[in-house]
Amino acid sequence: MRNPFTSKWLNRILFRNALILCLLLGFSSGALGSVAGCPGIPLKAHPFHVGLAELYLYDNRVELAIRVFTDDLEMMMNKRFRKDVDLTLGDSLVNFELLQILLREEVGLQSDSNAIGLIYVGCEREDDSIWLYLEQDGIGAKQLNWRFKLTLLSRLFPEQRYVVSVNQNGRKTSQLLTGPDFLIQWTTD
C-alpha cells in the first residue's frame, strides 16, 4: 500500500496544521505531567495527543493510513505487551506481530452492518511520528452505511484526538474523532 501523501513537505504541513488546529480549538491536555491514571508514566515533549487517519474507500478495496507520535505508540505498546518496544527498528518481525495484534483491537470498520477486517501491512517512520498502513480487498459492491472506530492510544491518553479524512468516489470529507466513543458514522449516496 502506498503512502497517501506523495510529498514529505506536504505531509509535514498537514500534520503540523492539524496539531495547530487542535491546540487552537482547545483539544489538548494543556499541561505536561503524568498520564492520567498512570502516575509513573511521564508525558514526553508534546502536551497534545492528536493523530491523522486517511481512509480510502474504493468499490472493492479499503486502505487506511494512521499517523501518530512514535513515542506515544511505543509507550502504549510497552504497557500493553509488557515488552521494551523500539519502533526505530521499523517492521521487525516482533514489531510487526505486536502492531498486528494491537491494531486488530483498536481499529474497526463496518459497512452495512458487516465488519471489515482490516489487515496491517506495514509502517513507515517519519520524523517523530509513524505511519501505520492497513488494507482489505474484496469488500463487495458499493456500501451505503459506514462506521469507523479508532481507539488507538485513547486508554493511555484520554485526550487523544484524530483528524479523519474519508476519501470516497472522488470526494474527501474530514471529521474530528474524539472520545469517549472515538466513533464516526456516515452514509454514502
Side-chain angles (χ1 to χ4, degrees), residues 2-169:
R2 61 179 166 65
N3 186 336
F5 298 109
T6 57
S7 159
K8 280 192 172 188
W9 174 81
L10 176 62
N11 202 2
R12 287 186 184 122
I13 289 175
L14 290 172
F15 191 62
R16 186 195 68 215
N17 289 346
L19 295 176
I20 290 170
L21 174 66
C22 288
L23 287 173
L24 290 175
L25 295 175
F27 298 121
S28 70
S29 62
L32 289 173
S34 62
V35 176
C38 306
I41 302 175
L43 289 179
K44 298 284 183 173
H46 50 268
F48 49 88
H49 297 92
V50 64
L52 295 176
E54 287 280 331
L55 184 61
Y56 292 84
L57 304 170
Y58 303 105
D59 288 340
N60 204 28
R61 179 178 178 78
V62 175
E63 296 178 353
L64 174 63
I66 302 168
R67 185 176 182 182
V68 294
F69 286 113
T70 306
D71 60 338
D72 291 347
L73 185 58
E74 285 176 338
M75 190 182 303
M76 179 187 183
M77 291 175 71
N78 289 339
K79 183 176 179 190
R80 163 71 173 79
F81 297 111
R82 300 186 197 313
K83 294 184 182 227
D84 189 22
V85 176
D86 182 1
L87 293 174
T88 60
L89 302 175
D91 260 341
S92 69
L93 183 58
V94 172
N95 285 349
F96 189 89
E97 290 174 354
L98 294 177
L99 283 166
Q100 200 169 28
I101 292 166
L102 183 67
L103 292 169
R104 206 174 304 133
E105 296 170 356
E106 304 287 339
V107 178
L109 182 63
Q110 201 173 18
S111 68
D112 292 335
S113 301
N114 299 315
I116 296 174
L118 294 170
I119 299 167
Y120 172 66
V121 294
C123 68
E124 180 181 15
R125 289 276 321 261
E126 187 174 284
D127 299 324
D128 60 349
S129 62
I130 189 167
W131 281 102
L132 307 168
Y133 300 110
L134 300 96
E135 64 184 12
Q136 183 58 273
D137 288 319
I139 60 169
K142 185 178 177 181
Q143 309 296 313
L144 297 177
N145 300 301
W146 293 90
R147 293 169 52 101
F148 176 63
K149 187 168 190 158
L150 178 58
T151 57
L152 186 64
L153 302 176
S154 65
R155 282 185 230 123
L156 192 59
F157 303 107
E159 69 279 2
Q160 178 71 36
R161 305 290 185 255
Y162 289 96
V163 176
V164 179
S165 294
V166 178
N167 301 277
Q168 186 175 24
N169 300 326

